[in-house]
Amino acid sequence: MHQHNPIVPREKLDFGLEGDIPKYWFGGDPFKTRFFDAMSTIFPEGERFFISCVRDFRDQVSDPVLREEIKHFIRQEGQHGIVHSQYNERLKAQGIDVDKLEGIQRGLIEWMRKYLPKKHTLASTAAAEHMTSIMAHSFFSRKEIMAAADPRMRAMYAWHAMEEIEHKSVAFDVMQKVAKVWYPRRAITMVEVTLGFTINAMLSTRYMLKVDGFSRWQRVKMFAKGLGWIFGPGGLYMPIFKHYIQYYKPGFHPWQGGQMKSYDLWLDTFNRTGDPIAAGEVLHAAGA
Ligand SMILES: [Fe+2]
Ligand SMILES: [Fe+2]
């Protein structure tokens, strides 16, 4: 068993999402904002899927520690879905058809749950959980990345990212110890999840910018610049590539790299103040 921080479900957090968050809350940048908004529309359905896929194996888990972790994992993911849905209401008010986006995703998920083996969808969950657990490094290990974001949105992603770290080994341990998924399936599902998530996020970003009334040419220019911000050197993905690629090592375990340095700062601030926005600010300011 790897030593790690306890998984703490935090409920009824107030990020001020009902407040005056600007439409383009990411420094007035439509592409960056809509890319994050696209992720927000993916999370609630995605997290319900993760919960179902882990639940498929819950009865076979005999380790009391892992059973307890599964319980907390489910509660954390449930809260993430609630908070993202709360934010997504804002998107609906901006004319984004969130129900349509979620409907498409639900169709795909229902298909996966019906036709793919349970071991496969659990492996997809473990892969997706690796992606969400390295999100903290992508968003918060360099201050400049989130510098222009609205502090409330930044705090919401900070909280989500920190809890993803806390529960990062749950689906993986169920996959390895209980479902005994063999390596090729683990690797293949990571390829599937990486492509699926990226394509989904890109298509949703494109759709939202279209709803916003940007012309085809404006969108082409935004994507040309935005893809550099996502995939280019110093962008969102490149600096976490070393974390990402570790998943393909046969002996990989989510905790083998240790804890993110600034996690303790976030946790201490949250525990001391009970204020998720203050905790988010501390995490962002640390940039480590
Ligand atoms: Fe989550
Ligand atoms: Fe998660």
Side-chain angles (χ1 to χ4, degrees):
M1 209 59 192
H2 297 253
Q3 280 303 311
H4 59 81
N5 290 78
I7 304 168
V8 183
R10 300 170 181 86
E11 292 172 349
K12 298 198 176 66
L13 299 187
D14 185 4
F15 295 97
L17 298 182
E18 319 274 286
D20 56 350
I21 296 169
K23 180 174 175 181
Y24 297 129
W25 56 268
F26 210 122
D29 186 314
F31 182 89
K32 291 183 181 178
T33 304
R34 289 320 198 189
F35 177 72
F36 271 81
D37 288 352
M39 281 194 279
S40 190
T41 64
I42 294 172
F43 280 128
E45 283 299 332
E47 293 176 318
R48 268 193 285 277
F49 170 74
F50 303 160
I51 292 172
S52 307
C53 299
V54 170
R55 267 199 187 129
D56 287 338
F57 290 89
R58 189 171 50 176
D59 291 345
Q60 297 171 47
V61 178
S62 52
D63 176 4
V65 177
L66 188 54
R67 286 184 76 94
E68 196 65 13
E69 288 187 345
I70 291 172
K71 208 168 81 188
H72 296 320
F73 155 77
I74 290 174
R75 279 181 62 195
Q76 283 192 334
E77 294 296 30
Q79 287 298 314
H80 301 166
I82 290 170
V83 173
H84 281 283
S85 297
Q86 201 186 339
Y87 174 72
N88 295 347
E89 288 300 316
R90 295 185 76 94
L91 299 179
K92 288 184 192 170
Q94 294 163 8
I96 306 294
D97 194 345
V98 176
D99 295 332
K100 186 180 88 175
L101 293 176
E102 290 192 327
I104 296 169
Q105 216 187 322
R106 205 153 43 234
L108 185 68
I109 285 173
E110 275 164 16
W111 182 89
M112 287 175 76
R113 301 260 319 142
K114 194 164 169 198
Y115 294 107
L116 297 177
K118 298 273 180 267
K119 279 186 182 205
H120 198 87
T121 51
L122 176 67
S124 306
T125 299
E129 287 282 288
H130 180 64
M131 304 265 284
T132 56
S133 77
I134 60 177
M135 169 166 97
H137 295 276
S138 173
F139 301 165
F140 295 105
S141 61
R142 285 155 305 140
K143 244 191 266 192
E144 63 271 23
I145 288 288
M146 291 298 246
D150 184 280
R152 293 161 287 191
M153 295 302 289
R154 193 157 62 201
M156 194 254 268
Y157 278 98
W159 158 71
H160 193 165
M162 293 302 104
E163 293 198 346
E164 290 303 326
I165 289 182
E166 286 180 341
H167 71 229
K168 67 177 176 177
S169 60
V170 178
F172 189 90
D173 284 343
V174 175
M175 169 177 79
Q176 297 292 88
K177 295 177 186 164
V178 183
K180 306 212 186 313
V181 167
W182 69 323
Y183 175 79
R185 193 189 294 283
R186 192 179 101 197
I188 286 165
T189 48
M190 186 46 128
V191 175
E192 289 169 2
V193 166
T194 306
L195 290 174
F197 171 77
T198 308
I199 292 168
N200 193 345
M202 289 299 142
L203 290 177
S204 299
T205 304
R206 189 184 71 158
Y207 157 74
M208 289 184 193
L209 292 171
K210 206 168 158 186
V211 172
D212 288 347
F214 293 106
S215 69
R216 184 178 293 265
W217 177 234
Q218 281 173 314
R219 280 181 279 136
V220 168
K221 282 194 292 187
M222 282 177 188
F223 263 85
K225 206 170 134 219
L227 291 179
W229 172 69
I230 296 173
F231 299 104
L236 276 184
Y237 278 12
M238 278 288 251
I240 59 164
F241 190 72
K242 60 177 187 292
H243 297 290
Y244 168 78
I245 204 74
Q246 281 172 354
Y247 196 79
Y248 295 97
K249 278 199 314 210
F252 169 80
H253 185 273
W255 283 110
Q256 73 192 174
Q259 181 59 277
M260 189 190 186
K261 267 198 295 189
S262 49
Y263 165 83
D264 286 331
L265 286 173
W266 181 89
L267 186 69
D268 289 346
T269 310
F270 182 83
N271 287 345
R272 204 161 29 78
T273 64
D275 178 0
I277 301 178
E281 287 308 87
V282 167
L283 179 73
H284 167 63

